[in-house]
Amino acid sequence: MKTLVLATAGHVDHGKTTLVRALTGVETDRLAEEKRRGLTIELGRAYRELPDGRVLGIVDVPGHERFVGTMLSGVSGIDAALLVVAADDGPMPQTIEHLRILSLLGVRQSLVALTKTDLVDGHRVAEVTRQIQELLAASPLAEAPIFPISAATAAGVEPLETAIANLRTEDRSLDALFHLAIDRSFIAPGRGLVVTGTVSSGVIRVEDAVLLHRGAQPAHPARVRGIEVAGRGTDQASAGMRCALDLAGPDVDRGTVGRGDWVSDPAMTDVSDRLDVLLPPGTALSERRRDDMPVHFHIGAADRAGRLALLGDAAGDGQEGTWARVRLSEPVLAVTGDRFVLRDGSAQNTIGGGIVIDPFGPARGRAKPDRLAELGALAEADPRTALEGLAGFGPVGQGLFARRRGLPEAAVTTLLQTSPRLFAVPRAELIWLHQDWLSFLEECQAAVEAAHSAHPELAGMDRSAFLRALSVRPQPGLLDAALGYLTETGTLSHRHGVWAHPEHEPKLSDGDEAFWARIGPLLRSDGTPPPVVHELAKSLGQDPEVVGRHLVRIARAGRLVRIGRNRFVPPGDLDRLAAALPQMENGFTVADFRSTTGLGRNFTIEVLEYFDRAGITRREGDRRLIRPHTIAHSAT
Ligand code: GDP
Ligand code: MG
């Protein structure tokens, strides 16, 4: 099924509901209060089939200034708008405010109905037509045609119908993860909880698992039992369609879900309360340079209290407008590219709007020049261009990028495969520019060469030595990925947290060499723990401090590993002990390990604590798990 979603807009009493009735035969003012007051309070919905087979869905919005929030919840994700202006009144405050909202939400197709022409003369029709044209001229809807109409005589309704039938259904990406902003929920007999709204992105099918996002509460799992589009049961709905979803799940009932909540693909687990946004040029906001302005943030069907801070001019970052940070009292489900509208703190006036650029703004450094430049890259509509731009600032977390864009991780993998510039850093879940990755590998290698020539007596570099040597502090996971790669390819050798050139032979002084010749045999394992420093000193008849200093230098040269203050162990022995770690699914205890090695308790604990620090094992309570494929970190 293909649909066309149209929303009305315009001042109260200008004839929106009457026109919807004339177009569809449906009376959308159904509440008793609406009938009594002759006023739309809730969103109305009417459907009819178009000649080309598409189903037209009209959302009839309230025009009264008190219900602009409701109007906003009805116009998110629509294909087109029908702005209604009465010929007797002409443009009024909500004509202007609704027009502004449509522009801010990026609605690209609009028609104007000039109603109640039966109440005025031709002169007045011409005058109001001119006023409307002037209003539109300054907006993105300048091209919208104007149709003079009388609902009383049905004059002019037909040409409007034809124009509606010729509106395009906007193309929307179906690659993104499914989500829908809920604008209504109710309990239907035999169906349970039903939520309605326009699908923002992706596709939803009957029996799909979903997550319900309800303000600050944790996301709640549910299942789709049924889908209705335009009042008809169907097995799927896709982006841009208005639909009703029957939901089932533990704890899913009325009162828990409603307008301003979201239902999404289970992969969209994160909600946002700290968003970085772009305010387009010309919004009144840019003149009100206040650091912490109270606002109402309207996104999807939600209205959240929040605070807005301007961060800087976007012109230098390749975008037009102003960067801003929005902090919300309660989180929303947002992705890059989502449109929003801002009303002032008292919810009286629409003061601006814009586009979400990063739904997960960082806690620190929000206005630093680098961060704003990064926002410039993120703002690119094409995800591949955005990812390539972003990767220029350093490695990008694959999962975070997917979550920001609302894309499945597979879509990001495809982007990666089709971009020769991008590179998936092995085992690190990071994406970087291939060129920058290669430079980083070179920098790591160069650091090792430099270390060897400056300190030929050392075995090589540990992790902290790399962090000191590198020009920029690498992102978490990146250094390990690079060192792992260099080790696997044989460019570097790695032993017990120390990386070196494979041919590097650390040079000991003659004194240390002579000392090593004497104590080497004493330390070699024969199934008993190697002696600690003072035991060695005793059997050599030497000062423990002197012995300790020899041992430290020998350990730095890689012939011993210092696993405790007073304990030095040959690396080969540690390798054998690591290979003997008990492979037990729920981890092993000290006793388990002792029963395989037969070693004493104190030494066993020292070894295991060393393995924990080296990243070979992970301790959980009194059990330990062997870490899969980890790169041993420096233990010292
Ligand atoms: P809305 O608030 O914009 O939805 O306005 P309504 O559709 O509720 O209409 C407000 C009033 O204007 C109602 O009493 C309608 O009957 C009347 N009305 C609407 N369209 C026309 C029209 O074209 N001609 C005349 N004479 N009255 C109209
Ligand atoms: Mg109405």
Side-chain angles (χ1 to χ4, degrees):
M1 193 191 319
K2 254 196 134 187
T3 63
L4 173 71
V5 180
L6 181 76
T8 60
H11 201 75
V12 64
D13 249 1
H14 277 200
K16 295 180 290 299
T17 302
T18 306
L19 184 54
V20 172
R21 200 186 318 124
L23 290 167
T24 64
V26 177
E27 172 56 62
T28 55
D29 280 353
R30 290 150 89 170
L31 300 178
E33 191 188 353
E34 292 182 319
K35 290 213 169 88
R36 184 162 43 83
R37 293 171 63 184
L39 180 80
T40 305
I41 297 170
E42 262 310 321
L43 298 174
R45 294 156 181 89
Y47 302 103
R48 72 170 268 198
E49 195 156 324
L50 294 174
D52 63 4
R54 285 182 300 169
V55 175
L56 168 68
I58 303 186
V59 183
D60 184 34
V61 308
H64 196 282
E65 63 172 327
R66 274 185 45 215
F67 304 126
V68 175
T70 309
M71 180 272 177
L72 271 158
S73 71
V75 293
S76 107
I78 57 173
D79 293 302
L82 177 58
L83 181 66
V84 175
V85 185
D88 50 352
D89 275 354
M92 295 286 279
Q94 270 62 57
T95 315
I96 297 165
E97 186 166 22
H98 285 192
L99 176 61
R100 181 112 190 271
I101 287 170
L102 297 174
S103 314
L104 289 167
L105 290 176
V107 175
R108 288 185 293 182
Q109 299 184 92
S110 295
L111 306 173
V112 181
L114 178 54
T115 57
K116 305 198 187 183
T117 50
D118 55 289
L119 299 182
V120 299
D121 59 15
H123 179 72
R124 174 69 184 162
V125 170
E127 183 182 38
V128 176
T129 303
R130 225 176 19 255
Q131 290 170 351
I132 297 171
Q133 280 165 340
E134 270 168 34
L135 255 185
L136 293 176
S139 84
L141 308 183
E143 307 292 307
I146 301 171
F147 297 86
I149 278 175
S150 165
T153 67
V157 173
E158 237 182 74
L160 177 64
E161 281 181 311
T162 309
I164 290 174
N166 287 331
L167 290 169
R168 282 175 286 114
T169 298
E170 293 276 4
D171 279 334
R172 284 170 221 271
S173 154
L174 302 182
D175 301 342
L177 294 169
F178 162 78
H179 66 288
L180 172 148
I182 298 171
D183 58 29
R184 189 171 56 137
S185 73
F186 55 92
I187 299 287
R191 289 168 66 188
L193 177 73
V194 181
V195 299
T196 69
T198 306
V199 182
S200 309
S201 67
V203 181
I204 184 76
R205 295 180 182 82
V206 174
E207 289 304 324
D208 277 354
V210 289
L211 278 182
L212 277 167
H213 303 272
R214 303 169 295 175
Q217 297 176 52
H220 196 87
R223 185 175 55 82
V224 177
R225 279 205 299 210
I227 301 175
E228 259 187 23
V229 173
R232 286 184 234 164
T234 173
D235 52 5
Q236 69 171 58
S238 51
M241 291 185 179
R242 275 203 67 78
C243 68
L245 304 178
D246 302 3
L247 297 179
D251 218 21
V252 168
D253 53 46
R254 189 200 194 81
T256 58
V257 186
R259 171 172 302 165
D261 296 335
W262 274 265
V263 53
S264 81
D265 186 285
M268 293 181 88
T269 50
D270 302 303
V271 288
S272 316
D273 58 8
R274 197 165 56 214
L275 306 94
D276 288 332
V277 304
L278 181 63
L279 308 176
T283 50
L285 275 176
S286 28
E287 285 105 58
R288 305 188 199 183
R289 287 216 170 247
R290 277 177 54 187
D291 200 38
D292 204 17
M293 197 190 310
V295 291
H296 277 264
F297 184 78
H298 293 265
I299 187 167
D303 168 5
R304 297 278 197 268
R307 295 198 165 255
L308 180 91
L310 302 176
L311 303 180
D313 187 1
D317 311 312
Q319 304 292 330
E320 277 181 58
T322 308
W323 302 121
R325 162 65 57 92
V326 180
R327 293 250 23 189
L328 300 178
S329 55
E330 266 193 301
V332 295
L333 190 78
V335 300
T336 302
D338 278 353
R339 299 278 186 154
F340 62 87
V341 168
L342 295 169
R343 303 195 85 219
D344 64 13
S346 58
Q348 303 266 308
N349 303 295
T350 296
I351 53 174
I355 305 171
V356 174
I357 304 301
D358 190 348
F360 307 108
R364 287 156 198 271
R366 64 185 190 180
K368 290 216 171 105
D370 267 10
R371 168 63 188 167
L372 299 185
E374 197 177 275
L375 283 175
L378 262 174
E380 289 292 337
D382 172 42
R384 190 168 118 161
T385 314
L387 187 51
E388 288 179 346
L390 206 55
F393 294 91
V396 180
Q398 180 158 349
L400 177 59
F401 184 77
R403 288 206 301 283
R404 278 167 171 159
R405 292 260 162 183
L407 290 173
E409 292 213 19
V412 180
T413 309
T414 309
L415 287 180
L416 261 169
Q417 286 162 347
T418 53
S419 166
R421 295 182 59 209
L422 294 172
F423 179 76
V425 175
R427 289 184 321 217
E429 284 265 308
L430 293 170
I431 298 167
W432 208 7
L433 294 182
H434 204 169
Q435 196 46 54
D436 290 349
W437 164 251
L438 295 178
S439 313
F440 186 65
L441 292 179
E442 277 170 21
E443 193 183 353
C444 290
Q445 261 178 277
V448 171
E449 303 290 341
H452 287 339
S453 54
H455 295 285
E457 77 284 5
L458 299 183
M461 294 175 81
D462 63 12
R463 234 174 146 266
S464 49
F466 278 106
L467 292 175
R468 283 192 303 272
L470 293 170
S471 55
V472 183
R473 192 173 177 85
Q475 257 175 277
L478 185 66
L479 180 59
D480 291 335
L483 295 177
Y485 177 83
L486 291 170
T487 308
E488 271 167 27
T489 52
T491 314
L492 296 181
S493 67
H494 170 231
R495 267 204 114 179
H496 290 278
V498 175
W499 284 265
H501 193 277
E503 263 123 60
H504 175 63
E505 295 263 7
K507 304 243 177 320
L508 286 182
S509 68
D510 292 348
D512 284 336
E513 239 2 306
F515 181 83
W516 174 244
R518 289 178 66 200
I519 58 105
L522 300 177
L523 287 166
R524 221 145 285 147
S525 150
D526 53 0
T528 57
V532 291
V533 174
H534 67 267
E535 290 168 341
L536 279 172
K538 212 167 162 193
S539 47
L540 296 170
Q542 282 192 9
D543 178 1
E545 282 209 15
V546 175
V547 171
R549 282 199 289 274
H550 278 299
L551 289 170
V552 165
R553 287 191 296 270
I554 292 168
R556 286 186 182 148
R559 294 192 203 175
L560 290 170
V561 178
R562 187 180 197 175
I563 67 164
R565 241 183 89 68
N566 289 309
R567 184 95 69 181
F568 293 79
V569 185
D573 289 5
L574 286 173
D575 291 341
R576 271 194 296 283
L577 287 169
L581 287 170
Q583 305 267 359
M584 297 166 82
E585 204 180 323
N586 296 315
F588 62 90
T589 62
V590 173
D592 293 330
F593 189 37
R594 280 186 66 195
S595 71
T596 58
T597 61
L599 289 165
R601 186 175 167 80
N602 285 352
F603 181 62
T604 304
I605 289 174
E606 264 183 279
V607 167
L608 288 176
E609 285 179 351
Y610 166 77
F611 284 165
D612 291 342
R613 290 197 303 276
I616 295 166
T617 51
R618 180 163 53 88
R619 185 171 170 176
E620 267 178 23
D622 57 359
R623 308 191 77 83
R624 279 185 171 79
L625 291 149
I626 304 169
R627 292 204 200 212
H629 315 296
T630 44
I631 295 148
H633 297 171
S634 166
T636 44

